[in-house]
Amino acid sequence: MNILILGSGGREHALTWKLAQSKKVKRIFIGPGNAGTSNSGTNLKLDPGNFPEVKNAVLENKIDLVIVGPEAPLVDGIHDFFLNDITLKNIPVIGPGKSAARLEGSKDFAKAFLTRHKIPTAAYKSFDKSSMKEAPGFLRTLNPPYVIKADGLAAGKGVLIINDIHEAEKEVEAILNGKFGAAGQKVVIEQFLKGIELSVFIITDGVSYKLLPEAKDYKRIGEGDTGLNTGGMGAVSPVPFADHIFMQKVKNRIIDPTMKGLSEDGIVYKGFIFFGLINVEGNPYVIEYNARLGDPESEVIIPRIKSDFFDLIEGVAKGDLEERRIEIDERFVTTVMLVSGGYPGDYEKGKSIQGFDRIKESVVFHAGTKRAEDKVVTSGGRVLAVTSWGTTMKEALKISYRNAGLLNFEGICYRTDIGFDL
Ligand code: AMP
Ligand code: GLY
């Protein structure tokens, strides 16, 4: 099989690294990939959002299967584009179609789905310009802080958590007046849930599913979960509080009703579902759905899969996932993200990275790097994810931090407290 992985981050490098270990995979292409993915595959210059460009790459390189890493092409309908194209329609796409990807692409759609199928989630109401006058009244039924979300994809910036009710009213107006562009044609206001978050993942062929390892991600830039939100500064798996009893609740109250709901609504879903959950006093609630794997969660959950990951991918493509098996490594896996100075605000790129040859016992996944002549240089805010294994979380973190200390580029930053709350 020749496969194409779309995307360019740490998630895509982790996918490439794992799939390169499968006997069933002949060649891996990554579009556009990064300096790390080019170690286990061939990078292709393409924009995953430009579907005709993806088509050319698929035909030129005789691709047999496509895995979509990021959400934007899914929400924009890349799967439907393949199904509607006579030359592409028999090439499986791992990732949901446009209708199913609304679980991530529209928060209003996701909340209505959750409510319709009685899946635990925060109480909410949606507003558009025509109903905007009713928003202050709804806000007054809630206790602060107020959670206000732009309906559509807003590059991780579309969720506001605000203490002051007047400021909350103003933000609702600002979003509906275009603060986040088209993503803010609707606004979701919801009840604030207090608890600890975790990310749960399944892979599904639309009928059956396999539970993948869960993870906890650290989203804020600063130590102790303070400061601005980032794409994620590190992750750990397994999550100690996600014990058998908790995961049984996740299965019974969330995953199974989601699968049943999709089926009842006539939505075919082939790919990954990422359940962004919050544990409120031992009970799981859905904060959000994502139509893809998480990043940096992928850099800890994929390394915990011991069996051939391509076997599961093939199960999705062929619709016989039920018959496939998954074996999970019991050990802890941690990742620490090394980021550019200034991230998540402005930062410089093109800084040369040193120290790869000194790494022992960790795998370094590239998130934002590229090759420049014979050097590897930074090309994004999140640059490298240092992943390690250990019999305890502490041991894995110690190895990640030891190796993080051996890598260097101008302006390097990372959190030194990943896993602190577990
Ligand atoms: P989302 O993009 O929906 O995942 O929201 C981004 C982040 O905002 C989440 O990871 C949570 O930390 C926080 N958040 C979203 N909704 C809620 C809620 N109802 N209660 C508390 N925190 C929330
Ligand atoms: N780490 C969170 C995400 O991938 O959305």
Side-chain angles (χ1 to χ4, degrees), residues 11 217 219 231-232 274 288 290 292-297 382:
R11 166 183 49 214
D217 150 36
K219 288 204 174 89
F274 168 168
E288 62 166 351
N290 293 308
R292 53 172 173 87
L293 288 177
D295 194 347
E297 289 95 327
R382 293 193 293 170

Side-chain angles (χ1 to χ4, degrees), residues 326-386:
I326 177 169
E327 200 187 333
I328 292 171
D329 193 331
E330 308 256 294
R331 285 177 296 171
F332 280 83
V333 179
T334 60
T335 202
V336 174
M337 191 63 82
L338 313 183
V339 307
S340 298
Y343 174 78
D346 293 338
Y347 56 85
E348 289 176 19
K349 298 182 190 175
K351 307 293 183 192
S352 96
I353 307 171
Q354 296 91 36
F356 290 115
D357 52 338
R358 302 177 64 194
I359 300 302
K360 285 199 191 89
E361 298 178 78
S362 291
V363 173
V364 180
F365 293 118
H366 292 223
T369 67
K370 64 174 192 186
R371 260 175 223 291
E373 289 148 28
D374 57 344
K375 287 186 304 195
V376 175
V377 301
T378 67
S379 69
R382 293 193 293 170
V383 178
L384 299 168
V386 184

Side-chain angles (χ1 to χ4, degrees), residues 93 141 144 169 180 231 269 296 301 348 357 376 391 395 403-404:
V93 175
T141 69
E169 285 170 13
F180 296 119
Y269 197 114
I301 67 166
E348 289 176 19
D357 52 338
V376 175
T391 45
E395 184 187 304
N403 284 301

